[in-house]
Amino acid sequence: DVVLNETMGALWWSYQQLGADTRRCFAYCSTFPRGYKLKRDELVRIWIAQGFVNTGGNATEEMEDVGNRYFDELLEFSFLQVQGRTIFGSETFTIHDLLHELAETVAGSDFLRIDLNGSPKDIPAGVRHVFIETNNGAKVLAEKNQDLGKLRTLIIKELCTEDMDRTQPKDEDLKEVFDCLFKRLRELRVLIIELQQMPKVMSVPASVDRMKHLRYLGFDIFAMKLILPSTFSKLYHMQTIDVNRGSPYTTVYCPEDTANL
C-alpha cells in the first residue's frame, strides 16, 4: 500500500506539471474503458468537438495542431503509451491502469462508463460523458424514460452475443431505436456508434437534425451501406464525420446539400 501510495503521489505530481488544457484532455480519456485502443486523430478531433482545444486567440493556428501538441505532451510525460498498429497501419495508444485510475479521479462525476454485459442503469443527472458497452445498450437507453438532454458525449459499443450472431439486425429496427435517442440528445457534441452485427443497410433517421450541437459523428458498423438523411445538412456545427472506422468497404450516401455544411 505504501508503494502504491507513493506511486500515485508521483503520478499526481506529474499530472500537475501538465498544462491546464492538457489536464482536461487527459481527464476526458477516462470516458474510455481500461485497455481501450485510442487513435491520435480520433481523440484530437473529439477534444476539439468538446471545446477543449484552445488556440489562445491565434487566428493562424489550426486547432488540430494545438490538439496534437496536447497529445504529444501526454506522450512525453508517459500518460499515453504506444500500443501497436491497426490492420490499416495507424498507430494505437493506451493508458496504463494506474494512470487510468488517476484520470477517473480527476474527472469526477461528469463521466460514466457502463461496461457490464447487461442493461444500462439510470444515468445520473450531472453526467456529461457516457460510454456504454453492452449487448443491448442503445435499445434499453432509448426505452428508458430519463432526461438525456445534458449529455455531451455518447459512445455506444454493442457487443456481439451468440443470439446476435444468428440474427442479422434489420435496418428499420435500428432506425427506430436511434430515432428515439436522437430526439432526446439535444446538447450532444460527440456521438460514436459501434455495432458488431452486420446490417446490410444502416439508414440514419431524419431526427438526427435534433442534435443541433453535434460536432463529431462516428460510425463503426461494418455495413454495406450507410445512408444519411437530407436533414443531416442542418447540422451546421458538424466538424468530423468518421464512418469507415472499422471497414474500408462501407459506402456512404450523403444528401446533395451536405456541401453546404
Side-chain angles (χ1 to χ4, degrees), residues 171-229:
D171 179 42
E172 285 303 315
D173 293 340
L174 291 173
K175 192 173 181 179
E176 182 179 350
V177 167
F178 288 113
D179 177 63
C180 292
L181 275 181
F182 292 170
K183 290 176 179 177
R184 297 159 60 195
L185 298 169
R186 297 181 297 275
E187 299 292 331
L188 204 69
R189 268 63 168 175
V190 173
L191 175 64
I192 298 175
I193 298 170
E194 179 177 340
L195 301 177
Q196 293 190 9
Q197 301 164 281
M198 297 182 65
K200 292 182 178 180
V201 178
M202 173 69 181
S203 300
V204 177
S207 55
V208 69
D209 67 341
R210 300 288 188 91
M211 299 182 292
K212 298 184 181 301
H213 298 281
L214 194 66
R215 292 168 168 84
Y216 185 104
L217 177 63
F219 276 103
D220 191 352
I221 58 175
F222 294 90
M224 297 300 292
K225 296 179 181 179
L226 177 69
I227 303 174
L228 299 176

Side-chain angles (χ1 to χ4, degrees), residues 1-11:
D1 289 345
V2 173
V3 174
L4 181 60
N5 289 337
E6 290 178 351
T7 300
M8 289 302 292
L11 294 177

Side-chain angles (χ1 to χ4, degrees), residues 91-143:
E91 275 190 321
T92 58
F93 303 84
T94 56
I95 300 176
H96 188 277
D97 284 354
L98 282 176
L99 286 163
H100 198 282
E101 184 178 335
L102 176 63
E104 291 175 341
T105 300
V106 298
S109 59
D110 282 351
F111 298 80
L112 176 68
R113 285 194 319 279
I114 304 171
D115 48 18
L116 299 175
N117 191 11
S119 300
K121 54 189 176 183
D122 287 338
I123 297 174
V127 171
R128 297 292 180 267
H129 311 283
V130 174
F131 185 107
I132 298 177
E133 186 176 25
T134 71
N135 63 2
N136 58 354
K139 182 177 180 181
V140 176
L141 190 62
E143 292 174 348

Side-chain angles (χ1 to χ4, degrees), residues 54-58 61:
N54 181 13
T55 60
N58 187 345
E61 194 166 32

